[in-house]
Amino acid sequence: MEHRERHCPDPNPRCLVPLPSGYRIPLPWPKSRDMVSFGGYLLDKNVITMSFAPKDEHEAQIQFALKRGIPATLSVIGTKKLTFPDNAYDLIHCARCRVHWDADGGKPLLELNRIPRPGGFFVWSATPVYRDNERDQNIWKAMVALTKSICWKVVARTLDSSGIGLVIYQKPVSPSCYDKRKNNNYPPLCDQKDGKNSSWYVPLSHCLSLLPVDSMGNLFSWPVPWPKRLSSKPPSLSTESGAVEMFYEDTKHWSDLVSDVYLNDLAINWSSVRNVMDMNAHYGGFAAALIDLPVRAMNVIPIDVPDTLSIIFDRGLIGIYHDWCESLNTYPRTYDLLHSRFQFRNLTQRCDVLDVIVEMDRILRPGGYIVVQDNLEIINKLSPILHSLHWSLTLYKDQFLVGKKGFWRPTFGETKS
């Protein structure tokens, strides 16, 4: 699957993606939700999903989901780790699942084992679960051996009325099983030094991820139930002095700022917004403050800032790692609003701001917004570039720049500096 992985051009392209012939703004929410299945269905149960699949020449599944308001990203289990932290998800679901979990010594399943939290679940629906031909049964036997070697427990195995089957596995809540394996050297436990929650351009490993513990060596607890989980102290929050106070202050700050400024004073038509991306999400406070609106935020933790993505997942939100000096794993025109807070100063020290703006233009749909909170020096650098793209701009209190993307694209032979 390496050919389906992310490969960025060097240097970054500075061309504008043209609009498809007959392009129309996607259906508004919630009408759009009726056109998707698993992720949209779970929203009615207060469950936020992150859908991911590779770029597919047969059907653009991720583009389909995003344009209908379901959080999603382009990704594939190939040769590198997924851009999620360790022990993040409560449940992972794979239907019509063609991943060869036992390939390369079981590396794909070991990677999958890395990302659910202790006690988390994996729902697998594929032909080896319910067909009895020789090929499928050989795959099933390999899966049985591999899941036992990593101490996964079968919670259920069943068929639906149409004869399609599924199996539900559960990841252990304690490492005690690892020491009791018949061959406790296979797969080996990962070294403690490999426990950092970073997976950006990291090759798949052939080891069993350790279960998370705090500074005292105690296993992390499962987060409290939703919606209390959103505003409670996250299990993975640092135990350093002042960390808890900082988390609660950040939560209150974003609750007040969104209520007082973002929803009332900025030139944004929130009724047209569904897919939101926080480009440097920190604790996920911006997304948490939007939780009562019919929007869903993708929280991005840049690779050059402190890693807080586990905290975001502990809160019941979703997110990914990313380097904004590179292209993002998504289709063009798949977001309604991009949010950036005091981010560009760091970016300008690592790459050209023009490359970042071109990428923001690519992933934002016509009629969509960006909100950049920053100092005037940065805003004065960004404004001429955005004006050259024919975006409409407003400035609030000399620190909130709101840009709205139009339908303009340069015609052949036209240049714009």
Side-chain angles (χ1 to χ4, degrees), residues 96-125:
R96 293 187 300 160
C97 199
R98 299 177 181 176
V99 179
H100 300 289
W101 298 112
D102 61 331
D104 198 10
K107 282 185 178 180
L109 193 69
L110 288 169
E111 170 61 5
L112 196 74
N113 175 75
R114 180 182 69 83
I115 59 175
R117 64 179 66 254
F121 299 92
F122 174 48
V123 181
W124 184 42
S125 178

Side-chain angles (χ1 to χ4, degrees), residues 325-373:
C325 292
E326 299 183 4
S327 297
L328 183 79
N329 256 13
T330 192
Y331 288 89
R333 303 172 300 277
T334 44
Y335 281 87
D336 304 320
L337 187 147
L338 306 178
H339 175 255
S340 170
R341 180 177 184 268
F342 297 109
Q343 179 181 17
F344 278 91
R345 180 176 295 276
N346 286 341
L347 278 174
T348 54
Q349 297 174 6
R350 300 179 52 243
C351 52
D352 194 323
V353 67
L354 181 59
D355 293 340
V356 183
I357 294 296
V358 168
E359 178 63 2
M360 293 170 70
D361 178 89
R362 184 185 75 86
I363 65 179
L364 191 69
R365 69 164 176 82
Y369 302 90
I370 65 165
V371 180
V372 177
Q373 183 185 9

